[in-house]
């Protein structure tokens, strides 16, 4: 159950461990500035992008601001944290288009504004699986038309990342993003699956089948290693795409990124 913490503002949620590193979320930011950039460009008003639960350092919100400004110069990025001390540390970094506030899943923005994008990375990983739908629903209620919640997880330096894209109708897709250099097999990303899937990587579940097929395609594509890991991953993704509903193509696969429709990997109930 999501809880409101004590205090006058009563943010919804609990304080995260707060671990963060510079450039940790670059893979997701690259996706937001790439195939999802249309959401910012089509906003009829100044788009708001929220970095929900940015952690003990505001660096990810600062980086997000810089990257989203390349998509639309008037974007407004808001870093939200439940811990007031973390907000106080971040406040001196505020500038035009970048602000920090205390808040949680209720997404408290001034004048009832609604965000175009909410990026919540390594936040729900610290909650129970049963709490995920309620957290998603809280944020969905606050999204602007055409808005998106990105619920993701990554390793400490951003070499492996996964995220679920959730719009007003529900979860839409799952993206895996991998550093290809030194990759043993694609399923190594399994330990970084979002909370909605991490406990579902077992026989009989769709996500387990998807990762297994990706590994098999990776093995079959071994001859492409002569031209590098990128070419091997391209061949692997094309192979998997013959049987699974992938939502992207070679331009993203070249980056070690692959996106599959949510219904193909969603948990069985």
């Amino acid at each position: 159950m999501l809880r409101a913490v004590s205090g006058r503002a009563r943010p919804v949620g609990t304080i995260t461990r707060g671990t963060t590193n510079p450039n940790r979320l670059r893979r997701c930011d690259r996706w937001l500035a790439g195939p999802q950039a249309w959401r910012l460009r089509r906003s009829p008003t100044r788009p708001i992008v929220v970095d929900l639960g940015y952690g003990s350092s505001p660096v990810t919100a600062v980086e997000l601001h810089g990257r989203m400004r390349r998509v639309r110069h008037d974007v407004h990025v808001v870093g939200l944290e439940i811990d007031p001390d973390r907000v106080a540390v971040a406040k001196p970094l505020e500038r035009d288009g970048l602000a920090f506030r205390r808040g949680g899943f209720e997404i408290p923005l001034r004048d009832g504004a609604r965000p175009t994008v909410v990026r919540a990375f390594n936040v729900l990983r610290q909650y129970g699986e049963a709490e995920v739908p309620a957290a998603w629903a809280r944020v969905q209620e606050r999204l602007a038309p055409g808005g998106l919640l990105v619920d993701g997880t990554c390793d400490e330096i951003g070499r492996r990342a996964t995220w679920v894209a959730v719009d007003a109708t529900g979860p839409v897709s799952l993206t895996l993003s991998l550093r290809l250099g030194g990759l043993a097999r694609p399923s190594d990303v399994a330990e970084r699956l979002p909370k909605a899937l991490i406990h579902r990587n077992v026989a009989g579940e769709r996500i387990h089948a998807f990762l297994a097929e990706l590994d098999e395609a990776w093995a079959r594509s071994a001859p492409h290693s002569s031209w590098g890991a990128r070419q091997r991953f391209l061949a692997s993704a094309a192979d998997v795409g013959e049987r699974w509903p992938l939502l992207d193509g070679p331009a993203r696969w070249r980056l070690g990124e692959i996106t599959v429709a949510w219904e193909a990997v969603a948990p069985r109930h």
Side-chain angles (χ1 to χ4, degrees):
M1 177 179 179
L2 294 175
R3 301 175 296 280
V5 301
S6 61
R8 185 172 59 185
R10 298 188 64 80
V12 176
T14 57
I15 297 173
T16 64
R17 287 189 293 270
T19 304
T20 190
N21 281 303
N23 224 22
R24 187 182 187 186
L25 305 186
R26 62 190 180 280
R27 293 182 177 276
C28 181
D29 291 354
R30 183 174 61 190
W31 183 75
L32 289 172
Q36 300 302 311
W38 64 270
R39 298 181 188 275
L40 299 183
R41 294 184 178 126
R42 293 184 187 179
S43 175
T45 58
R46 186 182 191 185
I48 299 174
V49 177
V50 170
D51 188 8
L52 177 60
Y54 56 82
S56 58
S57 166
V59 63
T60 58
V62 174
E63 292 171 343
L64 182 64
H65 178 237
R67 290 162 181 159
M68 295 303 99
R69 282 194 66 189
R70 297 172 195 153
V71 176
R72 184 159 163 174
H73 74 280
D74 64 340
V75 69
H76 184 54
V77 172
V78 180
L80 289 182
E81 254 297 340
I82 289 177
D83 185 347
D85 291 337
R86 294 176 183 174
V87 177
V89 167
K91 279 288 186 180
L93 296 176
E94 289 189 331
R95 65 192 72 166
D96 182 37
L98 177 63
F100 296 92
R101 293 178 61 100
R102 187 170 183 238
F105 291 106
E106 77 283 7
I107 315 294
L109 300 179
R110 298 188 186 281
D111 302 320
R114 294 180 176 272
T116 300
V117 174
V118 175
R119 186 191 66 182
F121 247 75
N122 303 305
V123 175
L124 283 172
R125 184 177 177 86
Q126 300 175 195
Y127 288 71
E129 183 181 349
E131 296 179 282
V132 171
W136 284 358
R138 279 270 189 176
V139 178
Q140 284 173 281
E141 292 172 356
R142 297 289 297 120
L143 292 174
L148 194 71
L149 161 66
V150 183
D151 170 17
T153 305
C154 66
D155 66 5
E156 288 73 12
I157 57 175
R159 296 168 299 180
R160 299 171 182 169
T162 71
W163 56 86
V164 180
V166 183
D167 66 13
T169 67
V172 175
S173 63
L174 170 72
T175 299
L176 313 179
S177 185
L178 304 159
R179 182 181 182 275
L180 297 178
L183 180 67
R185 58 183 183 177
S187 66
D188 288 347
V189 78
E191 65 183 13
R192 299 297 171 176
L193 286 170
K195 178 59 74 170
L197 293 174
I198 194 166
H199 301 302
R200 303 293 182 141
N201 186 30
V202 294
E205 288 283 354
R206 298 182 181 96
I207 184 60
H208 183 270
F210 179 68
L211 291 176
E213 286 217 28
L214 193 54
D215 278 353
E216 291 167 7
W218 179 255
R220 284 192 295 271
S221 301
H224 291 268
S225 297
S226 299
W227 294 278
R230 177 177 294 173
Q231 293 304 314
R232 184 178 181 181
F233 193 78
L234 278 163
S236 302
D239 184 340
V240 168
E242 294 178 1
R243 296 172 301 282
W244 291 79
L246 302 186
L247 304 182
D248 53 8
R252 307 306 298 180
W253 302 341
R254 290 176 59 83
L255 303 173
E257 183 180 297
I258 189 169
T259 298
V260 62
W262 175 255
E263 62 266 21
V265 295
R268 296 186 185 276
H269 297 289

